[in-house]
Amino acid sequence: MSLRLRFALACAVVFLFVGTLLLATLYLVVRQSLEPRSGLGQPKYITLDIGQYWRGDLGYAVAQQRVSQVRAIYQDDTLYTVRTLGSFAVLAGAAGAFGLGWRTAAWVTRPIKDVTETARRVAQSHDLTERIGYDGPREEVKELTDIFDTMLDRLARSFDGQRRFVANASHEMRTPLTINRTLVDVAVRRPDATDDVKRLGESLLLVNTRHERLIDGLLALAEGEQAVLDRRPFDLTDVAEHVMDQVAGEAAEREVTIHRLLDSAPTTGEAVLVERLVQNLVENAIRHNHPKGEVWVTTRQRAERVELVVANTGLHVPPYEIEAIFQPFRRLHGDRLRSDRGSGLGLSIVRVITEAHGGTVTARPRDEGGLTITVELPAA
């Protein structure tokens, strides 16, 4: 029930209560006023039309009975009129109070509505530079909007600091790794390099590649948690086809067959981030597979949503481990040593990118082994 409706109902209930109380008081007052008076029962004399006085008790009984009948009839009619007309008046007044309260509530809650609209725009667009800027009098709504603007200022500074930290940390960590890779590559390619040096160099290059992949994953994880401000239309099918063309060589090397079941799936957002999402899912499906395994990639549109479904064969996955695979640095079956299977950030990145686009991601184990992961995004 909205605040405006509650306010209007409160006005109607208050009027109904007060009107009923006044009607009951009026009813009792009128009833008391119509009760018989003691002086009318035994008057000292009765004035006749002929101008003479009629004394004695001979005609008093008839007159008293007639007066009592007339009084009773008028009393019943008057009280009935008070009840009927009063009830209609109270109900009509309650309806009028509801309508007046409804109109008044719109005026009273207009500042709150402005606050709500601004908060909704900020939540949907993630634009922390927008402020409410309410210029009303110093009262409750003004205090609320000032607190909200202060909170937005702090959040904006916090996110800006986080972005700067991620960018600087990424640069500082990538630079020595790039230098290491270059030095090791040069050492390995020297003509006088021994077999031991070459094997050591290849191992160091693998470790360096793993660290670079880890840094890229952390950077993508941080970027995925940021706002998706530039929403542009694109087809999820085009992204999926591009990703599968890129991983075709790795799939052939691992003897994994990829099946494409692609229908048009128009959506909006950051195409680069969504490409990373699809790439992580397809690479996981290939790497967490067995030789001669299979991968199915499906895109389709259903009503107001588009779906990306990636299924693969592989080891059996217990249902209780499903939620854990979306946590950073969590791997299935305790595999923390195989660098060729990633850094444990792939599905974490998938989740944050999906949520940044207003979508959902779910996973379920296949009875034959492997996983089926479904990503739903808003349709364009």
Side-chain angles (χ1 to χ4, degrees):
M1 186 182 297
S2 65
L3 178 63
R4 185 179 182 184
L5 180 58
R6 289 200 298 268
F7 184 83
L9 287 176
C11 292
V13 170
V14 170
F15 185 91
L16 185 63
F17 175 77
V18 175
T20 303
L21 183 62
L22 291 177
L23 178 61
T25 303
L26 179 63
Y27 180 86
L28 294 176
V29 170
V30 172
R31 181 176 178 179
Q32 181 64 28
S33 300
L34 295 177
E35 288 296 325
R37 299 296 185 266
S38 58
L40 298 176
Q42 294 289 337
K44 295 181 179 180
Y45 57 87
I46 298 177
T47 303
L48 302 178
D49 292 340
I50 59 178
Q52 298 179 354
Y53 296 104
W54 179 23
R55 298 179 180 277
D57 298 332
L58 182 61
Y60 284 1
V62 176
Q64 289 176 351
Q65 184 177 6
R66 183 58 180 169
V67 169
S68 177
Q69 292 175 351
V70 172
R71 183 200 61 78
I73 293 174
Y74 274 98
Q75 185 183 37
D76 293 340
D77 290 344
T78 303
L79 294 179
Y80 175 77
T81 302
V82 170
R83 288 196 306 268
T84 305
L85 295 182
S87 299
F88 281 118
V90 169
L91 293 177
F98 178 86
L100 183 61
W102 179 265
R103 296 293 299 273
T104 305
W107 174 73
V108 172
T109 60
R110 185 177 302 164
I112 300 178
K113 185 177 181 181
D114 295 338
V115 174
T116 304
E117 292 296 331
T118 304
R120 181 179 293 110
R121 287 197 303 270
V122 173
Q124 292 177 351
S125 66
H126 302 275
D127 184 10
L128 296 179
T129 61
E130 186 174 2
R131 298 294 180 268
I132 298 174
Y134 180 69
D135 297 329
R138 296 295 303 180
E139 35 83 22
E140 291 81 1
V141 177
K142 176 65 175 176
E143 294 179 0
L144 175 63
T145 55
D146 290 344
I147 293 174
F148 189 81
D149 287 342
T150 302
M151 180 184 66
L152 288 178
D153 288 335
R154 293 182 178 179
L155 287 176
R157 290 196 297 268
S158 176
F159 284 135
D160 288 340
Q162 182 182 4
R163 281 193 289 267
R164 289 194 298 270
F165 173 78
V166 170
N168 294 334
S170 173
H171 176 73
E172 293 297 328
M173 289 187 294
R174 280 177 171 174
T175 300
L177 290 177
T178 302
I179 296 174
N180 289 341
R181 185 177 67 249
T182 303
L183 294 176
V184 173
D185 189 63
V186 170
V188 170
R189 295 178 183 276
R190 291 181 57 180
D192 57 344
T194 63
D195 293 339
D196 291 339
V197 171
K198 291 182 179 179
R199 285 194 295 270
L200 178 60
E202 291 175 356
S203 300
L204 291 176
L205 287 176
L206 287 177
V207 174
N208 201 84
T209 301
R210 176 181 173 83
H211 290 166
E212 290 178 345
R213 187 184 300 139
L214 177 61
I215 293 174
D216 290 339
L218 290 172
L219 181 60
L221 190 63
E223 290 178 347
E225 291 176 344
Q226 302 302 320
V228 179
L229 299 178
D230 187 14
R231 286 184 170 270
R232 297 183 179 181
F234 64 92
D235 198 323
L236 187 59
T237 301
D238 298 335
V239 176
E241 287 181 344
H242 176 67
V243 169
M244 285 186 287
D245 291 339
Q246 287 183 327
V247 301
E250 183 178 358
E253 181 182 351
R254 295 175 181 268
E255 299 181 352
V256 174
T257 303
I258 300 179
H259 303 279
R260 306 185 183 192
L261 307 172
L262 306 179
D263 293 331
S264 178
T267 185
T268 59
E270 290 274 5
V272 176
L273 288 178
V274 175
E275 179 183 347
R276 182 62 183 266
L277 179 152
V278 179
Q279 182 179 358
N280 285 357
L281 289 179
V282 176
E283 287 180 352
N284 277 354
I286 294 174
R287 294 170 184 174
H288 295 274
N289 214 319
H290 52 71
K292 308 296 182 181
E294 295 179 285
V295 175
W296 296 268
V297 180
T298 304
T299 58
R300 59 198 174 201
Q301 180 176 359
R302 290 187 175 181
E304 300 298 326
R305 313 288 283 182
V306 295
E307 287 185 349
L308 168 69
V309 183
V310 179
N312 66 288
T313 56
L315 297 177
H316 286 276
V317 180
Y320 57 83
E321 289 192 5
I322 291 298
E323 184 61 27
I325 64 177
F326 290 102
Q327 302 299 324
F329 305 107
R330 297 293 295 272
R331 300 173 178 84
L332 290 175
H333 311 293
D335 185 4
R336 304 184 64 88
L337 301 176
R338 293 281 300 276
S339 61
D340 59 339
R341 290 189 176 182
S343 58
L345 291 173
L347 293 182
S348 302
I349 296 172
V350 169
R351 168 170 280 183
V352 296
I353 293 177
T354 302
E355 292 177 350
H357 285 78
T360 58
V361 57
T362 56
R364 61 179 179 84
R366 300 177 67 249
D367 295 336
E368 303 83 1
L371 281 175
T372 298
I373 299 179
T374 302
V375 175
E376 291 188 355
L377 299 175

Short mmCIF file of all heavy atoms in Angstrom, two decimals, residues 290 296 311-319 322 363-373:
data_model
loop_
_atom_site.label_atom_id
_atom_site.label_comp_id
_atom_site.label_asym_id
_atom_site.label_seq_id
_atom_site.Cartn_x
_atom_site.Cartn_y
_atom_site.Cartn_z
N HIS A 290 37.14 -33.62 -20.86
CA HIS A 290 38.04 -34.75 -21.09
C HIS A 290 38.25 -34.92 -22.59
O HIS A 290 37.46 -34.40 -23.40
CB HIS A 290 37.48 -36.04 -20.46
CG HIS A 290 36.07 -36.34 -20.86
ND1 HIS A 290 35.73 -36.75 -22.14
CD2 HIS A 290 34.92 -36.29 -20.16
CE1 HIS A 290 34.44 -36.95 -22.19
NE2 HIS A 290 33.91 -36.67 -21.01
N TRP A 296 28.39 -27.57 -25.84
CA TRP A 296 27.23 -27.03 -26.56
C TRP A 296 27.04 -25.57 -26.16
O TRP A 296 26.92 -25.24 -24.96
CB TRP A 296 25.95 -27.81 -26.21
CG TRP A 296 25.99 -29.25 -26.65
CD1 TRP A 296 25.56 -29.78 -27.82
CD2 TRP A 296 26.50 -30.36 -25.87
NE1 TRP A 296 25.75 -31.14 -27.85
CE2 TRP A 296 26.33 -31.53 -26.68
CE3 TRP A 296 27.08 -30.47 -24.62
CZ2 TRP A 296 26.71 -32.78 -26.23
CZ3 TRP A 296 27.47 -31.72 -24.18
CH2 TRP A 296 27.28 -32.86 -24.98
N ALA A 311 27.01 -25.75 -22.11
CA ALA A 311 27.02 -27.06 -21.46
C ALA A 311 28.23 -27.84 -21.94
O ALA A 311 28.67 -27.68 -23.09
CB ALA A 311 25.73 -27.82 -21.76
N ASN A 312 28.76 -28.69 -21.08
CA ASN A 312 29.95 -29.47 -21.45
C ASN A 312 29.94 -30.80 -20.74
O ASN A 312 29.31 -30.98 -19.69
CB ASN A 312 31.22 -28.69 -21.08
CG ASN A 312 31.39 -28.53 -19.59
OD1 ASN A 312 30.67 -27.76 -18.97
ND2 ASN A 312 32.35 -29.26 -19.01
N THR A 313 30.63 -31.74 -21.33
CA THR A 313 30.89 -33.01 -20.66
C THR A 313 32.07 -32.83 -19.72
O THR A 313 32.76 -31.82 -19.73
CB THR A 313 31.20 -34.09 -21.71
OG1 THR A 313 32.30 -33.65 -22.53
CG2 THR A 313 29.99 -34.33 -22.61
N GLY A 314 32.32 -33.83 -18.90
CA GLY A 314 33.43 -33.75 -17.96
C GLY A 314 33.15 -34.53 -16.70
O GLY A 314 32.28 -35.43 -16.69
N LEU A 315 33.87 -34.20 -15.64
CA LEU A 315 33.70 -34.89 -14.38
C LEU A 315 32.36 -34.55 -13.75
O LEU A 315 31.78 -33.49 -14.00
CB LEU A 315 34.83 -34.51 -13.41
CG LEU A 315 36.26 -34.90 -13.82
CD1 LEU A 315 37.25 -34.37 -12.80
CD2 LEU A 315 36.39 -36.41 -13.97
N HIS A 316 31.86 -35.45 -12.93
CA HIS A 316 30.60 -35.21 -12.22
C HIS A 316 30.82 -34.12 -11.17
O HIS A 316 31.82 -34.12 -10.45
CB HIS A 316 30.10 -36.49 -11.56
CG HIS A 316 29.52 -37.47 -12.54
ND1 HIS A 316 28.22 -37.40 -12.98
CD2 HIS A 316 30.08 -38.53 -13.18
CE1 HIS A 316 27.99 -38.38 -13.83
NE2 HIS A 316 29.11 -39.08 -13.97
N VAL A 317 29.87 -33.23 -11.08
CA VAL A 317 29.95 -32.11 -10.15
C VAL A 317 28.89 -32.30 -9.08
O VAL A 317 27.69 -32.37 -9.41
CB VAL A 317 29.74 -30.76 -10.87
CG1 VAL A 317 29.82 -29.60 -9.87
CG2 VAL A 317 30.75 -30.59 -11.99
N PRO A 318 29.25 -32.38 -7.81
CA PRO A 318 28.24 -32.50 -6.75
C PRO A 318 27.38 -31.24 -6.69
O PRO A 318 27.88 -30.12 -6.85
CB PRO A 318 29.08 -32.67 -5.48
CG PRO A 318 30.43 -33.09 -5.94
CD PRO A 318 30.62 -32.45 -7.28
N PRO A 319 26.09 -31.39 -6.44
CA PRO A 319 25.21 -30.19 -6.37
C PRO A 319 25.63 -29.20 -5.30
O PRO A 319 25.43 -27.99 -5.47
CB PRO A 319 23.84 -30.80 -6.08
CG PRO A 319 23.91 -32.21 -6.58
CD PRO A 319 25.32 -32.64 -6.33
N ILE A 322 27.98 -26.27 -6.41
CA ILE A 322 27.57 -25.36 -7.48
C ILE A 322 27.80 -23.90 -7.08
O ILE A 322 28.38 -23.11 -7.82
CB ILE A 322 26.10 -25.61 -7.86
CG1 ILE A 322 25.97 -26.96 -8.56
CG2 ILE A 322 25.60 -24.50 -8.77
CD1 ILE A 322 26.73 -27.06 -9.85
N ALA A 363 23.81 -22.32 -12.57
CA ALA A 363 24.55 -23.51 -13.00
C ALA A 363 23.88 -24.73 -12.40
O ALA A 363 23.34 -24.68 -11.29
CB ALA A 363 26.01 -23.43 -12.58
N ARG A 364 23.94 -25.81 -13.15
CA ARG A 364 23.42 -27.08 -12.64
C ARG A 364 24.27 -28.21 -13.21
O ARG A 364 24.73 -28.14 -14.36
CB ARG A 364 21.95 -27.27 -13.01
CG ARG A 364 21.66 -27.30 -14.49
CD ARG A 364 20.19 -27.51 -14.77
NE ARG A 364 19.90 -27.52 -16.20
CZ ARG A 364 20.03 -28.59 -16.99
NH1 ARG A 364 20.45 -29.74 -16.47
NH2 ARG A 364 19.75 -28.51 -18.27
N PRO A 365 24.50 -29.25 -12.43
CA PRO A 365 25.30 -30.38 -12.93
C PRO A 365 24.51 -31.23 -13.92
O PRO A 365 23.29 -31.37 -13.80
CB PRO A 365 25.63 -31.15 -11.66
CG PRO A 365 24.54 -30.80 -10.70
CD PRO A 365 24.12 -29.41 -11.02
N ARG A 366 25.20 -31.78 -14.90
CA ARG A 366 24.60 -32.68 -15.86
C ARG A 366 24.68 -34.10 -15.32
O ARG A 366 25.65 -34.49 -14.65
CB ARG A 366 25.29 -32.60 -17.22
CG ARG A 366 25.25 -31.22 -17.85
CD ARG A 366 26.02 -31.17 -19.17
NE ARG A 366 25.37 -31.97 -20.21
CZ ARG A 366 25.85 -33.09 -20.70
NH1 ARG A 366 27.00 -33.59 -20.24
NH2 ARG A 366 25.20 -33.75 -21.64
N ASP A 367 23.66 -34.88 -15.61
CA ASP A 367 23.65 -36.27 -15.14
C ASP A 367 24.79 -37.07 -15.74
O ASP A 367 25.34 -37.98 -15.09
CB ASP A 367 22.31 -36.93 -15.49
CG ASP A 367 21.15 -36.29 -14.77
OD1 ASP A 367 21.39 -35.69 -13.70
OD2 ASP A 367 20.00 -36.37 -15.28
N GLU A 368 25.19 -36.72 -16.97
CA GLU A 368 26.27 -37.45 -17.64
C GLU A 368 27.64 -36.95 -17.25
O GLU A 368 28.66 -37.50 -17.70
CB GLU A 368 26.11 -37.35 -19.16
CG GLU A 368 24.79 -37.86 -19.70
CD GLU A 368 23.69 -36.81 -19.61
OE1 GLU A 368 24.00 -35.68 -19.13
OE2 GLU A 368 22.55 -37.11 -19.99
N GLY A 369 27.70 -35.88 -16.44
CA GLY A 369 28.97 -35.28 -16.07
C GLY A 369 29.11 -33.91 -16.71
O GLY A 369 28.60 -33.66 -17.80
N GLY A 370 29.82 -33.03 -16.03
CA GLY A 370 29.97 -31.68 -16.55
C GLY A 370 28.92 -30.73 -16.00
O GLY A 370 28.19 -31.06 -15.05
N LEU A 371 28.83 -29.55 -16.60
CA LEU A 371 27.95 -28.50 -16.12
C LEU A 371 27.12 -27.93 -17.26
O LEU A 371 27.50 -28.01 -18.43
CB LEU A 371 28.77 -27.36 -15.49
CG LEU A 371 29.31 -27.53 -14.08
CD1 LEU A 371 30.18 -26.35 -13.73
CD2 LEU A 371 28.17 -27.69 -13.07
N THR A 372 26.00 -27.34 -16.87
CA THR A 372 25.19 -26.51 -17.76
C THR A 372 25.03 -25.16 -17.09
O THR A 372 24.41 -25.06 -16.03
CB THR A 372 23.82 -27.14 -18.05
OG1 THR A 372 23.99 -28.39 -18.70
CG2 THR A 372 23.00 -26.21 -18.95
N ILE A 373 25.59 -24.12 -17.69
CA ILE A 373 25.54 -22.76 -17.13
C ILE A 373 24.67 -21.90 -18.04
O ILE A 373 24.88 -21.86 -19.25
CB ILE A 373 26.95 -22.16 -16.99
CG1 ILE A 373 27.77 -23.03 -16.05
CG2 ILE A 373 26.87 -20.74 -16.46
CD1 ILE A 373 29.19 -22.53 -15.85
#
